[in-house]
Each structure stands twice: as structure tokens, then as C-alpha cells.
Amino acid sequence: MCGIAGYLDLRRRDSRETMERTAFELAQAVCHRGPDDHGVWVDEAAGVALGHRRLSILDLSAGGHQPMVSSGGRWVLSYNGEIYNFGELRQRLLTEGHRFSGRSDTEVLLAACERWGLARALDRINGMFAFALWDRERRELHLCRDRLGEKPLYYGWMGDVLLFGSELKTLQAHPDFEAEVDRDVLALYLRHNCVPAPHSIYRGVGKLPPGTVLTVAAAGAAGRSAVPEPYWSARAVAESGLADPLDASPSEVVDELDRLLRDAVALRMQADVPLGAFLSGGVDSSTVVALMQAQSERRVKTFTIGFEDVGYDEAGDAARVAHHLGTDHVELSLSPAHAMEVIPRLSALYDEPFGDSSQIPTFLVSELARREVTVSLSGDGGDELFAGYNRYAWCRPIWDRVRRVPSPVRRAVGGALTRLSPRTWDEVFAKAGRVLPPRLRVRMPGAKVHKIASLLAGDGIEDMYVDLVSYCKRPDAVVRGAREAPSLLTDRGGWASVGDPVEQMMFLDLVTYLTDDILVKLDRASMGVSLEARVPMLDPRIVEFAWRVPLALKLRNGQGKWPLRQVLYRYVPPELVERPKMGFGLPIGHWLRGPLRGWVEELLDERRLLDDGFFEPAAVRGTWAEHLAGDRDNQDQLWGLLMFQAWLDDSTRRTKTGSSRAGR
């Protein structure tokens, strides 16, 4: 795992010494991603410079140093990630006559490109990666990103200079970088509480979409018009999988999933450094840990964060799973004060606005794990692939009950439900809890009632879904002078051709929420402490298999992830993992009204909002007033606003020109 950086200057104006110094500075901006080694490589005549920071995982010797030149001399690589099947590819290349000088997967990736060409190499590798590959023969730069976007890659043209790197910090370190907040993307950010690919918060800078390659020629101005080309498509995988469902019994499906998961986990346990896993005690992380322990001769190290607020604490559940599996379990119980100490670090850590408050516990568990290991496996991806989110089970029954009711009546009912605040609904459910059956006792019932109320206004399940996952329903009304940028969520032309709306929701969650929120959160939190996080569920073989599993087998009796649960039950008793889904959150809403209130008032001060010029003060202050009074739970919307304001302050300090407030 590493940090990459570099640039291609079509003007070819700088000396070798200047290029080397600049490439070093770009890479140095992400030294946290690679504290073990650094390197630069330049081609002065072509105007290309590659920088690298290395976190040594495989082949800890100098044999893994980057940027790396292929044995034939044609290819030069700066690479971030892991090729999990590098052993298999290495053997194949050996049989074809290639000779290796080291043991790194970097050398295998280079050899694959040299022997088979980039397209065939990408088709054969199983891994997470973002890399810059320079072809010295054709004088072309290739920027490549893995299939689902586990590893980040930003790029953008500043005049005749193409900048690229693992984080925005690398681009900002170049003297030609110009920072201008894109208001249309800011509106999009408020809807998602993150900035979805291919956008970035800065105008003229983007994220390379997952599963694509951008090829730029060093000769002529035509390179500036190059666009990313796909080599793999999640949409195509979903559509082909649904068109060719598995013809197998439920037990055969579970057997095959068990086999695939065991192999995916085993591949991701390869490391020359200490390795462990995050464990929440839920289905996904427990499955990963169970399969790790089943294939390990040592006790697997597992890590859990606990919280004093029992409504958000999963540490006891994780401890019981760890005890059953026999792992070497580490638990850290945190006070609100400790968790809040992380908040001032978030802007620099995430590098652009990021409004998912579970970023805090994700960072803290990464920090905990890094004390003992350098690699940690994570259970992310199970919900999107195997129908784990509650909305997959709820949306259809709700719509089936209300779709015959005229929309004006539905809206009236929704309005009636929201006349009581979430806090009042919580009190109502608390009093009724003594007589309600366990299946009707839900966490944060008031917030859920308000969600159901908003869903009643839609004209179909798809409308319900978009409303449900939109943190801000009308971001154009909040961001001054903005027209919300297009995204897959709101532009249905990019949706998969599937027959079932639940499968459409799963597809959209896979390519938006998972890629732009969950994987970003995991990457920045883990790499912020120089920890490599690996995600076995996103092995491409499992992704392709999951889309062939019929929905009726994934979602049974109102409960999702049935095949995944059956695999887990082979290793862990059901009673240890079966409980209401919690997520990985914090009592942010309570903190905003309490210990963080002064911070909120400072960032959302009306005069400050007017001076910054990005948000309509009345809309923002109204959202804050509702939350403060307890009329509505606006914690998610407020956290997104606060994270932008905090990022704006931080980026202003860090940007050399101090121009990140431009565009007002």
C-alpha cells in the first residue's frame, strides 16, 4: 500500500532537477500513505515525472522500491495497492520465460504489462489498485483504477500540465495548481454527504472512475481531450448476472459462496508484516474473521472500538464472537471526549468535504489496529452484494401498501406523522416497548417514522429510494448560485437494466454509496495511520457470483444476506450475531446540541456564512434551529454542512495561493 503522485507537462519546460524536486514534493504530501520508502523517476524529454511513497507489505527489501522500471526497460510504474493473485500470475509468467529479480507484486504487475499488454494484464489481475504507468516506447501515460474504486486516484489539467495523485494534497503541492470550489459539485455533496466520482470539490479536478483507464499521449495537445475508458463495468456484471441466474439448490449456493469467500480471504492474508481484522460482531466482519481463523495457524488479531453510550456500543457483541472463534481480541472503550478529539483532524485526513460521521469510529479503530498490525481485513461490501440494508426489505412492503392511495392523501399522512418530533416518537415507542413484540422494537424509532413519512410522497419505489438516500432533498436551495451536478443517483440513464427495483437499489448502492462513501472512509481512515485495509467481499469473483444469486435467496422472510448468514453459521452460532442492524455510528445529534454546540455556532454563524458566500444562511440556520429545538433530527445534514465549513477553513490555510474560496 502506497501513495502515488506525478505530472505530465506538455510544455516540457523544467529541468531534470526541478522535475525531481517537484515529484518528491508531490509525493511527500501523502507520506502518511507510505512511511517506509520514497522515490522519484523523471523523463525530462517527455515532461513526465513520477513520485512514490511506500508502505512495505510484500518484499520488504529494496527489491520493491518504486517507481519501478520493467526488466525490458519499456514500462515505468508508480503503484498503490495489492495484486492478490500475484503468485498465480508470477508462475504463469515464469512458464512463459520471464525472470524475476524480487518477490514483490509490483514486479509481477510490470511483467504482466510487458508480456501481455495493459488490457490483458488488467483483465487477469485480482486486486485493489491505482497506478500510473508510463510507456517509454509510445510516450503515453496510463492512469488506472481498480474495479470498484477501493483505491483513490485524482487527476486534473492545470493549463498544459496533467496532475495526478492518491489524494488532492498531491495536486495542491504543484506550483501550477489552482483551487476553485465547484458550486455545482458542492450541491451534489450535500445530497450524498460525500463527493461522488467522477467529480471532486475543485473545478477542473476529478476522480478517475472505478474500472477505467485514462491514456494521455505526451506529444501534441490531443492528450488533453483524452477521456477514461472502461475495462470493467459493474453495470455489465449486474445485468449479465441477473440474465444468467444460478441453477443450483440453496445448499449448493452456500457451498460455493463458502469456497469463494475462503479463497478471497486467504489471498488477502498474504503479507510479510503483522495482519489482523476489524470486528464489529455483525454478520460481515464476523464472516471474514471466522474464515481467517479457520485458515490460520495462529490466533488472528481482531480489533473493536467500544463506546460509553450503550445505544451505539457493539463491543460486547464483538467480544463474544471473538471468544467463540478464539481470536486475540483487542477492545478500546472510548469516551465522547476521546472521540471528539478526532474532529479537528478530519478535514486534513479526508482532503475534501466528507459528511459521514462514522468516519470518526473508523479512524479510531484503524488507529487502534495500527498499534499492532500493518494490514487489517474489513467486512465491507456484504450489504450491497447480498441485500443487507433494511431498505431492501422495507421499501417494497411499504409501497405495496400505499401505492393505491392517492398521492395527496399520502402526503397528508406523511405531514401528520412529522407533526410529532423524532424525540416525541421515541418517547411514544419507549412507553409502548413493554407491550410491543421484540421484532417491533427498533433503534431510533422517531427517525425511522420521519423517514417513512418522507417516503410517502414518492411515485414509486425508485423515488422512495432516491429520497431515502438523499441527505439534502433540495441542495440547489442551500448552495448559492448552484445547479446540482449530474450524478448516477439522479440521472437514471446510467441505471442498470434490471427488472426488480430492489436489485436496482442494490446496484446503485454498490456503485455510489459503497464506492464514494464507504470505501473512501475506509481508505482515508486506515491510510491516515499507515494501515492497509483489505476487503475480501469485493473480490471480483464474489461480485460476479453475487449478481447471479436470485434475490429471493438473498432476501428471505424479510431478512437479507441469507447465503452469507448460512456460511457464517458454519463457524459461529446464530445467537451470537443475530440482532438489529446498528451501523457504525456515534450520538452525533446529541453532541451537536451539547458539547459541540459552540463549535457548531462558530462554523454556522450567519455573518460567517454570508462572508464565505457558499450557503444560504436562512436555510442553514433553519436546519440548525430545528435540530436544536428537537423538532427534527437533522444530524446528518448538519454534519455535512459542518464538514464543508471545517474543510473550507483547513483548505484555505493549506492552499498556497489561499484561493480556495474563489468562485464566490
Side-chain angles (χ1 to χ4, degrees):
M1 189 61 59
C2 308
I4 68 171
Y7 65 94
L8 172 63
D9 188 346
L10 298 182
R11 299 166 299 184
R12 296 182 285 280
R13 60 178 181 174
D14 292 336
S15 66
R16 170 176 290 275
E17 292 74 17
T18 299
M19 295 178 70
E20 288 178 344
R21 183 173 63 253
T22 302
F24 172 80
E25 291 172 352
L26 267 59
Q28 188 68 9
V30 287
C31 60
H32 54 280
R33 299 183 74 94
D36 299 328
D37 189 20
H38 64 86
V40 298
W41 184 93
V42 303
D43 184 336
E44 182 181 2
V48 66
L50 305 179
H52 192 266
R53 293 292 315 198
R54 183 186 182 198
L55 177 63
S56 302
I57 303 294
L58 291 166
D59 190 354
L60 309 185
S61 72
H65 178 78
Q66 294 189 53
M68 184 180 291
V69 182
S70 66
S71 60
R74 175 179 175 180
W75 305 92
V76 188
L77 176 69
S78 181
Y79 150 64
N80 166 30
E82 299 289 346
I83 305 302
Y84 299 121
N85 64 335
F86 79 99
E88 172 194 338
L89 298 179
R90 180 189 177 96
Q91 289 302 314
R92 183 182 298 184
L93 288 162
L94 284 170
T95 62
E96 295 182 12
H98 190 85
R99 294 294 175 261
F100 291 91
S101 60
R103 300 185 299 106
S104 72
D105 60 330
T106 308
E107 188 179 3
V108 172
L109 176 56
L110 264 175
C113 293
E114 189 168 53
R115 177 72 58 169
W116 304 323
L118 177 59
R120 289 180 64 199
L122 287 170
D123 185 57
R124 292 179 176 181
I125 60 179
N126 178 351
M128 59 176 181
F129 52 85
F131 62 80
L133 182 69
W134 173 245
D135 183 344
R136 300 171 77 178
E137 180 180 303
R138 296 178 61 90
R139 293 168 68 88
E140 290 179 336
L141 177 68
H142 304 283
L143 301 180
C144 308
R145 195 174 180 203
D146 63 55
R147 292 169 174 83
L148 287 168
E150 293 181 62
K151 293 293 100 185
L153 185 52
Y154 291 84
Y155 73 100
W157 286 97
M158 298 293 157
D160 291 324
V161 181
L162 174 66
L163 305 177
F164 58 88
S166 296
E167 298 181 17
L168 281 173
K169 296 180 186 68
T170 60
L171 282 67
Q172 290 172 305
H174 193 278
D176 286 350
F177 183 80
E178 296 182 1
E180 179 184 348
V181 172
D182 190 324
R183 293 176 177 275
D184 297 344
V185 173
L186 176 56
L188 185 62
Y189 160 76
L190 291 186
R191 181 178 296 278
H192 291 259
N193 260 8
C194 61
V195 180
H199 305 286
S200 89
I201 193 62
Y202 289 129
R203 189 179 303 278
V205 177
K207 302 181 185 79
L208 189 68
T212 66
V213 177
L214 176 69
T215 300
V216 180
R224 293 196 57 180
S225 62
V227 296
E229 297 291 341
Y231 67 86
W232 186 89
S233 166
R235 176 177 175 176
V237 167
E239 291 174 348
S240 63
L242 292 171
D244 183 28
L246 291 170
D247 182 15
S249 68
S251 62
E252 289 172 332
V253 169
V254 174
D255 287 343
E256 180 63 7
L257 180 58
D258 191 351
R259 185 191 69 80
L260 288 171
L261 281 169
R262 286 176 70 92
D263 190 60
V265 167
L267 285 177
R268 286 156 183 79
M269 291 175 68
Q270 301 174 97
D272 294 333
V273 293
L275 175 142
F278 302 136
L279 178 62
S280 69
V283 171
D284 301 340
S285 66
S286 297
T287 301
V288 169
V289 171
L291 294 171
M292 289 177 71
Q293 193 61 72
Q295 301 178 88
S296 176
E297 297 178 355
R298 301 178 180 179
R299 296 174 66 192
V300 171
K301 288 184 176 292
T302 52
F303 304 93
T304 298
I305 292 290
F307 297 100
E308 292 179 355
D309 189 325
V310 296
Y312 294 83
D313 184 38
E314 294 182 298
D317 302 312
R320 285 185 284 274
V321 173
H323 177 74
H324 177 81
L325 293 173
T327 70
D328 181 4
H329 191 58
V330 180
E331 175 188 319
L332 179 64
S333 183
L334 296 172
S335 67
H338 190 174
M340 285 185 284
E341 288 174 2
V342 176
I343 293 174
R345 305 168 62 181
L346 294 175
S347 296
L349 185 70
Y350 283 85
D351 219 24
E352 69 178 339
F354 187 79
D356 183 342
S357 62
S358 64
Q359 62 197 142
I360 298 174
T362 304
F363 174 80
L364 290 169
V365 75
S366 297
E367 189 176 51
L368 173 65
R370 188 60 177 94
R371 297 174 188 175
E372 299 194 31
V373 301
T374 310
V375 176
S376 186
L377 272 62
S378 172
D380 295 305
D383 287 313
E384 293 81 5
L385 293 174
F386 294 98
Y389 292 127
N390 292 331
R391 53 179 168 264
Y392 303 148
W394 290 3
C395 278
R396 194 198 308 274
I398 290 174
W399 180 247
D400 286 345
R401 285 173 171 78
V402 305
R403 62 190 175 93
R404 293 183 179 85
V405 178
S407 58
V409 176
R410 284 191 270 115
R411 293 189 181 95
V413 172
L417 291 175
T418 56
R419 289 195 185 101
L420 293 181
S421 70
R423 184 168 58 184
T424 303
W425 277 113
D426 288 343
E427 293 170 356
V428 170
F429 274 80
K431 292 177 181 177
R434 302 185 188 93
V435 296
L436 285 175
R439 65 185 179 85
L440 295 180
R441 298 172 192 168
V442 295
R443 182 170 165 264
M444 297 190 297
K448 291 180 171 60
V449 168
H450 274 240
K451 281 186 179 181
I452 291 173
S454 68
L455 298 179
L456 295 176
D459 292 324
I461 295 179
E462 292 84 357
D463 292 336
M464 294 171 68
Y465 169 79
V466 172
D467 183 88
L468 189 63
V469 300
S470 296
Y471 292 92
C472 180
K473 316 299 183 187
R474 297 179 57 241
D476 289 359
V478 180
V479 181
R480 300 175 69 178
R483 183 176 182 180
E484 183 181 354
S487 72
L488 190 59
L489 186 63
T490 54
D491 181 7
R492 301 190 182 188
W495 289 17
S497 298
V498 299
D500 193 293
V502 174
E503 290 169 331
Q504 189 69 261
M505 286 189 278
M506 292 171 60
F507 166 73
L508 291 171
D509 281 335
L510 181 72
V511 297
T512 59
Y513 180 54
L514 176 74
T515 295
D516 299 318
D517 186 314
I518 293 175
L519 294 179
V520 170
K521 175 179 61 180
L522 181 65
D523 174 81
R524 302 305 192 278
S526 58
M527 294 309 296
V529 294
S530 305
L531 175 76
E532 176 174 301
R534 300 176 175 178
V535 189
M537 297 279 187
L538 298 186
D539 186 297
R541 298 168 298 169
I542 294 174
V543 175
E544 292 164 7
F545 173 81
W547 280 108
R548 296 189 64 205
V549 176
L551 180 61
L553 201 59
K554 297 175 184 175
L555 192 59
R556 303 185 92 184
N557 301 319
Q559 186 180 54
K561 296 193 285 199
W562 184 86
L564 203 55
R565 293 174 192 274
Q566 306 315 304
V567 171
L568 178 58
Y569 297 161
R570 296 178 174 184
Y571 305 91
V572 176
E575 59 269 20
L576 291 186
V577 293
E578 290 300 349
R579 60 186 184 280
K581 189 174 182 64
M582 290 181 65
F584 199 19
L586 291 170
I588 291 293
H590 171 71
W591 291 358
L592 295 180
R593 297 188 188 98
L596 291 178
R597 181 170 176 175
W599 176 68
V600 177
E601 292 288 4
E602 179 184 355
L603 289 178
L604 302 186
D605 175 76
E606 185 173 4
R607 173 50 57 186
R608 179 174 182 160
L609 293 171
L610 283 170
D611 289 343
D612 289 338
F614 287 106
F615 295 137
E616 293 289 351
V620 173
R621 296 297 300 179
T623 300
W624 171 229
E626 283 182 341
H627 184 81
L628 199 57
D631 295 334
R632 294 184 68 89
D633 181 5
N634 291 331
Q635 66 174 31
D636 292 331
Q637 300 95 307
L638 287 167
W639 192 254
L641 292 164
L642 291 164
M643 285 296 98
F644 175 80
Q645 290 293 95
W647 170 85
L648 188 63
D649 280 354
D650 186 68
S651 63
T652 300
R653 288 192 301 269
R654 288 192 290 114
T655 301
K656 292 181 180 180
T657 62
S659 62
S660 62
R661 293 176 190 253
R664 293 206 298 247

